[in-house]
Amino acid sequence: MKNATITLHINGEEYKLEVAVNRTLLEVLRDQLGMTETKYGCGTGECGACTVLVDDRAINSCLALAATMDGKRITTAAGFAHFGELNHIQQAFNDEAAIQCGYCTPGMIVKTASLLAKNPDPTEHEIRHALEGNICRCTGYEKIVKAVQKAARTAPGRAVKADTACQEVAQ
C-alpha cells in the first residue's frame, strides 16, 4: 500500500505522520493517534458521530482521506476543553442532560461549535436544521436543542454584551 507523509494540526498540536493513502481521517485519529473521542458510527457519513472541524468547517471524518488533510487544522470535541475545563458548549450539554450514552455527543458538540461560529443566536428551527445528519438514538433531541440554546446564551462575550446592555438601560 502506498503511504503519504502529512502534517496535521490537531487541537493545537502538530503531528507529522506517515499514513496509508486509503486510510480515512477517522481511522488515523482513532487508530493511529489514539484520539478516541471522535466516534466511529456508521462509516458512511450518515450518523455524524465522527464529525470534526477541518479549518473550522464541520466534516464527517469517516468520509475524508487523511492523505488529503496535509497542513489542515483539525479540531475534535476534546479540542474545545481548555486545561481540563469544559468549554461553554460542553458545559451546556452537561447542564441540560443532553448526554445519555454519550456516543453521539462529540459529533453534536463539534456541529454545535460550527453552527454557533456562523450563527451565534440560532432559532430552534436553525438548530434542528444544523444538527441534521447527527443521529442520537437516546435523547430524542429535545435536550440537545436546549443545550445548543444554552450554549448560544453562555458563549464567551455574550455576558459582556448583556452587561453592557443592562448598563445602557440603567443610564
Side-chain angles (χ1 to χ4, degrees):
M1 181 52 59
K2 188 174 179 182
N3 289 332
T5 302
I6 61 171
T7 300
L8 300 177
H9 305 274
I10 306 169
N11 300 334
E13 300 285 328
E14 183 178 289
Y15 296 85
K16 292 188 184 299
L17 304 164
E18 185 84 12
V19 298
V21 295
N22 66 344
R23 293 197 81 191
T24 66
L25 178 59
L26 176 63
E27 291 170 324
V28 169
L29 290 171
R30 289 185 58 84
D31 303 338
Q32 198 163 338
L33 296 173
M35 297 178 174
T36 56
E37 70 273 15
T38 304
K39 303 300 184 198
Y40 177 88
C42 64
T44 60
E46 297 291 325
C47 74
C50 66
T51 305
V52 297
L53 295 180
V54 175
D55 292 339
D56 297 324
R57 192 175 67 109
I59 70 160
N60 293 320
S61 63
C62 70
L63 298 179
L65 292 174
T68 66
M69 297 287 128
D70 186 34
K72 301 290 186 185
R73 188 170 36 91
I74 297 164
T75 307
T76 69
F80 293 106
H82 298 284
F83 304 108
E85 297 285 325
L86 301 179
N87 85 342
H88 71 286
I89 297 170
Q90 295 164 319
Q91 189 63 54
F93 271 71
N94 191 39
D95 292 348
E96 295 298 324
I99 301 167
Q100 289 199 2
C101 83
Y103 205 81
C104 71
T105 305
M108 293 285 186
I109 287 172
V110 170
K111 204 71 166 283
T112 298
S114 176
L115 166 65
L116 297 180
K118 295 179 217 161
N119 181 359
D121 194 22
T123 65
E124 181 177 340
H125 175 75
E126 291 167 331
I127 292 168
R128 289 182 183 278
H129 180 70
L131 294 178
E132 286 177 358
N134 285 67
I135 297 172
C136 172
R137 291 178 171 87
C138 299
T139 66
Y141 302 97
E142 294 303 320
K143 292 178 180 180
I144 292 170
V145 170
K146 287 182 181 181
V148 175
Q149 291 170 325
K150 182 172 186 169
R153 287 191 312 272
T154 59
R158 295 288 293 230
V160 173
K161 291 176 188 171
D163 288 347
T164 302
C166 289
Q167 289 172 354
E168 290 172 1
V169 170
Q171 292 176 356

